[in-house]
Amino acid sequence: MNTIGLDAIPFNRPHLSPRELDYLAEAVRGGSTSGDGPFTRRATALLQEMTGAGQVLLTTSCTHALEMSAILLDLRPGDEVIMPSFTFVSTANAYALRGAVPVFVDCRPDTLNLDERLVEAAVTERTRAIVAVHYAGVACAMEVLCEVAGRHGLALIEDNAHGLGGSYRGRPLGSFGRMAAQSFHATKNVQCGEGGALLVNDLDLAARAEIVREKGTDRSRFFRGQVDKYRWVGIGSSYLPSDVLAAQLTAQLEAFDGIQARRHEVWRTYHEELADWAAAHGVSQPAVPEGCLHPAHLYYLLLPDLENRQGLMAHLRDNGVQAAFHYQPLHIAPAGARYGRVAEGGCPVTEQVADRLLRLPVYADLDEAGLTRVIDAVRAYGMS
Ligand SMILES: *Cc1c(COP(=O)(O)O)cnc(C)c1O
């Protein structure tokens, strides 16, 4: 309970899109509730249109799409994968599962993305891949990362969990890497509770990608009538989602423009209405470099220090507003230290940002009254 007696404004609330319940009922009534049914095909086609990816495979999560990418790269124990320390655990865990070693590189202080100036120094003869995470859906410096990856013969993978609908210099995020992973977790812009997709841009991997998703079998080819029985042909797992979840996702994707329009309004309103307050109190707002169109996935403030971040978060809670901090650095997490290693020079920016960052509620159903309450509550915080 908060002191103002109003319902708390949650940090996130999934939007219910117009056709969602109808599609869910249709999927259940239609009886084809396992994977690769009619809604899986519809959601896949919509994603293909949005991202321009050569092949789109719906998966049970972004985590699983990343695991698929690790299998498809044939990573061996001891291979190294360069990635930011400032990211979700799945970015690292997916590769550690194959025995590969995550090598953690610091982030840029402005976008909080992998600092492209530090990547090449982290390359060794064991390096096999670079994972770019577009934090908040603001693109990494893709021309630099593509160039370094190309010169050293490394696979570039995009963890595009935040970035659906974002672009860099006119090109959709998710279309730069050999593969990219999307998330449709309940906390993402478009969601089906738990879900994801693997985008495969290197079509040499396409045939195997289907097999990896189908428990290591050529079942997808069998269903297309290309083989007369399906067999175990490689390693894989059960990464294909139910058509029921694909039905929910289809409805969400069809509502994408409307969801995005409101999220952008919320994001812009925070950015404009908090600019003076931020400047007066040594608070940084998100930076969006030229050429980056972001999908308004999250809005964050960088407070001067941990004490004020905790202070503002508690103050907002007392005023009925749920705010959230974000990633705790992977290089100093227990498993990060066990399975990975930190690049030379460490990750000082990541450690600072993890203490200072606070995310404000951003979702399509946040109305004007709610938005005003959040902004007023932030402005009323007495910085210590
Ligand atoms: C949400 C998220 C994931 C994991 O997504 P799931 O679909 O929940 O597995 C991975 N990486 C990043 C950057 C994320 O934000």
Side-chain angles (χ1 to χ4, degrees), residues 186-257:
T187 52
K188 302 306 200 282
N189 292 24
V190 159
Q191 65 90 27
C192 60
E194 304 280 352
L198 182 71
L199 313 186
V200 181
N201 296 312
D202 173 359
L203 290 178
D204 288 348
L205 296 171
R208 267 185 68 220
E210 281 187 345
I211 289 166
V212 168
R213 188 177 65 159
E214 268 289 12
K215 302 96 182 162
T217 71
D218 52 358
R219 192 164 178 226
S220 304
R221 299 185 66 209
F222 172 71
F223 280 143
R224 288 195 299 265
Q226 294 165 326
V227 287
D228 60 2
K229 53 186 169 304
Y230 71 87
R231 298 182 305 162
W232 185 27
V233 292
I235 62 162
S237 191
S238 183
Y239 294 131
L240 177 66
S242 158
D243 214 48
V244 178
L245 290 181
Q248 187 175 15
L249 181 61
T250 301
Q252 289 257 320
L253 289 168
E254 287 177 355
F256 187 69
D257 292 347

Side-chain angles (χ1 to χ4, degrees), residues 61-63 87-88 90-91 133 159 161-162 183 185 188 194-195 327:
S61 64
C62 178
T63 303
T87 182
F88 189 58
S90 294
T91 316
V133 182
D159 178 340
H162 301 182
S183 176
H185 184 262
K188 302 306 200 282
E194 304 280 352
Y327 305 130

